[in-house]
Amino acid sequence: MNKYSLAPVVLLCAAFNGIAQDAGSRFDFNALKNRAQNLAAAPYQAPDRSLPEELSRFNYDDMRNIRFDPKAAIWRMERLPFQMQFTHRGGLQNSHITMNYIEDGQVEPIPFSKNLFNYSQVKINGKLPEDLGFYGFRIHYPLNSMEYLDEVISFQGASYFRALGKGLHYGLSARGLALNVAGQTPEEFPDFIEYWIEKPDTRATRIKIFALLNSPSLAGAYEMTLIPGSDTVMEIKTALFARKPVEGLGLAPLTSMFWFGEHSTSRHGDFRPEVHDSDGLLVHTAADEWLWRPLSNEGLVKTSCFANDNPRGFGLFQRDRDFSHYEDLETFYHNRPSAWVEPGPGWGQGELRLVELPSGTEYADNIVAFWMPQEQLTPEHPLEYSYRLHWFRDDATLPPLAQALATRIGNATEYPGSKKFVLDFSNAPGLDRNNPDSVTPVITLSNGTLKGKHLQRNDLGNAWRVFFDVEPIDRTKPVDMRCFLQSGGLPRSETWTYFWNP
């Protein structure tokens, strides 16, 4: 038997895992919910993040040089369409996860083993403990070619994960849960502390992932079915149990990076025209309105709230796909995925929140979007939710209207202290390019005065361009703006929204 196959590793696991499971009992989401509920009923115990002294000194480059041996991938020897690889602990990668797989409903732990990794590029003089555990894991699948198994999803740190659609490069991340983002008290970062991966069959096109969440405030059970493709879909359901009343509960959170774009006042001395993983937030309300909010990085914390009842969807998009708008041959920002959350039934009343944090570099995730339910999570009142999470390049149905392609901002020289906004909308049915007078830009302002507007057909870009100047009324408060294109008495575009801080 090949030394990298799973069987000899599993024999070492009984003492390591410590999972109580009755003989013959089957693991499923209900079993995991029971475990999360019991965990929440007990006092919180902070995870042990201690590391052997040698590993604790490792830097970013050291950790990159500890490579998982592809020959040791779980299910490689069985030639299954899905395989698993793991990330080593060390340096800042000090959190600890426990890994298991499920076969025929039975749990089989996956213990840490040095045989899974290649240490030839680093120096480790001491013996690594057998219970070192893993920092994260990746799942591989023939996403782009049947000849090669691509990395399709990665779970690393806290409850963060990120996935890919066909032909894309990693960009924004999702989280299991967000707690008190930009709130009055410090943000809490729950951890996925244990995972169970259901073993796929030889023709599988999807794989099921279970995860146990834990934090000082709550515990949670997650079931995530991953379906890779051009639009990689995750079907997610979760049950949350509180240790105490939870403040600032954020469901289906998405986390991204926006440093600067075409509407930014500064490029921070960088040679590239734009640098961002996502350039806007799209919201589909219960009233069938589509809202587009360009992201910004203006040197202050901005929190935008969109109150709604049972939202139809929201997501962070990388809408600009033109390489010349980035000119980056290493990061491929033009090829980062967009992510779309499609809520399940019963989300109820609440608000979508967008938090934009100031950042001086491209290495910090400074954008967070999530749903904050009005219904409160308490020890007496657990909550359950479901949603579908899409990772993709483009989708013309999001929205099925003209899209706001670009936002540009300059000074309105004829009105001192005012700003000129120039918006480009794509062409769409209902916008008659041969009769521009039939199309009207509808602009509304809060705390601002409109100083004229103009619509121009952009035949060079097969688009529509709206110009308007805005003068703030109270310069100590932001100006809230909205604009959409109308024809025949109907909206023909999504609604562009923006906060301008004078």
Side-chain angles (χ1 to χ4, degrees):
M1 181 176 291
N2 188 293
K3 69 175 182 177
Y4 295 109
S5 66
L6 185 59
V9 177
V10 172
L11 295 177
L12 305 174
C13 69
F16 166 77
N17 186 264
I19 296 178
Q21 185 179 13
D22 297 334
S25 63
R26 297 181 64 83
F27 184 92
D28 57 16
F29 186 58
N30 286 329
L32 184 57
K33 283 168 58 177
N34 291 335
R35 182 167 180 185
Q37 187 172 19
N38 292 334
L39 184 61
Y44 175 70
Q45 293 185 355
D48 182 6
R49 301 182 186 275
S50 61
L51 289 166
E53 184 177 356
E54 213 162 5
L55 286 178
S56 67
R57 295 196 301 264
F58 275 20
N59 59 28
Y60 175 79
D61 290 331
D62 293 327
M63 295 310 303
R64 282 177 59 87
N65 286 330
I66 300 180
R67 303 296 179 89
F68 186 89
D69 189 337
K71 296 178 181 178
I74 305 300
W75 302 316
R76 177 178 179 271
M77 298 303 296
E78 297 169 81
R79 297 184 180 275
L80 299 187
F82 290 92
Q83 295 179 9
M84 267 197 298
Q85 300 185 13
F86 303 103
T87 309
H88 207 284
R89 298 181 66 213
L92 296 177
Q93 297 178 187
N94 57 12
S95 59
H96 178 294
I97 61 170
T98 301
M99 293 297 307
N100 312 274
Y101 77 92
I102 307 166
E103 185 171 8
D104 296 329
Q106 301 302 304
V107 173
E108 294 288 351
I110 306 172
F112 168 81
S113 171
K114 286 185 65 175
N115 292 335
L116 300 173
F117 297 92
N118 184 331
Y119 300 93
S120 62
Q121 301 300 313
V122 295
K123 294 182 179 180
I124 298 180
N125 299 319
K127 182 180 179 181
L128 295 179
E130 292 184 359
D131 61 351
L132 182 64
F134 304 105
Y135 176 70
F137 72 98
R138 304 179 294 270
I139 293 179
H140 293 241
Y141 178 82
L143 181 66
N144 298 299
S145 168
M146 295 303 296
E147 306 302 319
Y148 181 78
L149 269 63
D150 306 278
E151 184 177 330
V152 68
I153 193 169
S154 172
F155 289 79
Q156 294 198 54
S159 66
Y160 285 88
F161 59 94
R162 55 183 184 169
L164 292 170
K166 185 175 181 179
L168 296 173
H169 295 77
Y170 274 140
L172 82 167
S173 300
R175 283 192 255 173
L177 205 64
L179 292 178
N180 202 36
V181 178
Q184 298 298 315
T185 57
E187 183 175 355
E188 190 174 306
F189 292 89
D191 293 293
F192 281 143
I193 59 173
E194 187 164 1
Y195 295 90
W196 297 259
I197 317 299
E198 194 168 78
K199 183 179 178 180
D201 60 35
T202 56
R203 297 184 178 181
T205 57
R206 58 179 62 198
I207 189 169
K208 191 168 288 187
I209 304 162
F210 297 91
L212 179 65
L213 187 82
N214 197 25
S215 82
S217 296
L218 54 80
Y222 285 73
E223 179 185 295
M224 298 173 273
T225 302
L226 175 70
I227 311 168
S230 296
D231 173 8
T232 289
V233 178
M234 298 179 72
E235 297 175 345
I236 300 175
K237 58 183 179 181
T238 178
L240 303 174
F241 304 90
R243 290 189 170 91
K244 57 184 180 181
V246 176
E247 296 182 1
L249 179 66
L251 300 178
L254 302 174
T255 301
S256 193
M257 180 277 293
F258 182 92
W259 196 23
F260 59 89
E262 74 259 337
H263 60 282
S264 301
T265 56
S266 171
R267 293 212 307 266
H268 304 277
D270 198 271
F271 75 94
R272 294 164 293 182
E274 299 181 42
V275 175
H276 48 74
D277 283 333
S278 306
D279 54 10
L281 169 74
L282 183 66
V283 183
H284 189 195
T285 72
D288 202 24
E289 184 180 18
W290 294 85
L291 306 175
W292 173 257
R293 167 63 61 82
L295 301 178
S296 64
N297 176 18
E298 297 180 349
L300 71 165
V301 177
K302 292 171 61 177
T303 300
S304 304
C305 303
F306 304 86
N308 206 227
D309 186 358
N310 288 309
R312 299 190 184 189
F314 67 90
L316 292 174
F317 280 52
Q318 184 74 319
R319 194 171 266 182
D320 189 342
R321 296 297 182 183
D322 192 330
F323 169 77
S324 66
H325 293 179
Y326 304 94
E327 291 293 344
D328 196 314
L329 294 171
E330 296 183 0
T331 59
F332 298 103
Y333 284 120
H334 67 290
N335 210 25
R336 300 295 174 100
S338 297
W340 179 250
V341 175
E342 182 185 346
W347 276 39
Q349 294 183 337
E351 60 184 37
L352 178 67
R353 288 203 175 182
L354 171 66
V355 178
E356 298 166 287
L357 304 171
S359 176
T361 74
E362 65 183 293
Y363 305 111
D365 285 338
N366 61 326
I367 305 295
V368 189
F370 54 91
W371 175 256
M372 182 175 288
Q374 182 174 297
E375 192 174 13
Q376 190 175 16
L377 174 64
T378 67
E380 301 76 26
H381 186 59
L383 298 177
E384 292 196 33
Y385 293 93
S386 66
Y387 59 98
R388 289 164 59 91
L389 177 56
H390 302 256
W391 307 80
F392 57 94
R393 179 180 176 87
D394 298 302
D395 187 336
T397 67
L398 296 172
L401 298 165
Q403 300 179 0
L405 300 177
T407 301
R408 296 179 176 86
I409 305 173
N411 293 326
T413 55
E414 57 271 52
Y415 305 109
S418 301
K419 288 291 184 182
K420 182 181 295 294
F421 291 84
V422 182
L423 314 180
D424 283 342
F425 287 89
S426 65
N427 204 36
L431 298 175
D432 188 351
R433 55 192 300 179
N434 296 315
N435 185 15
D437 291 339
S438 66
V439 182
T440 303
V442 179
I443 301 170
T444 56
L445 305 175
S446 173
N447 189 40
T449 302
L450 186 65
K451 310 297 286 188
K453 64 181 180 181
H454 176 64
L455 175 68
Q456 183 177 3
R457 173 66 199 168
N458 178 4
D459 290 321
L460 296 176
N462 190 27
W464 299 80
R465 179 164 291 183
V466 180
F467 302 81
F468 61 96
D469 299 334
V470 177
E471 182 178 39
I473 296 174
D474 183 348
R475 294 185 177 275
T476 66
K477 298 178 181 179
V479 181
D480 186 8
M481 295 169 278
R482 291 189 172 211
C483 175
F484 66 90
L485 300 183
Q486 180 177 276
S487 180
L490 297 174
R492 303 297 184 178
S493 76
E494 63 191 9
T495 300
W496 171 92
T497 74
Y498 197 76
F499 270 141
W500 168 40
N501 289 280

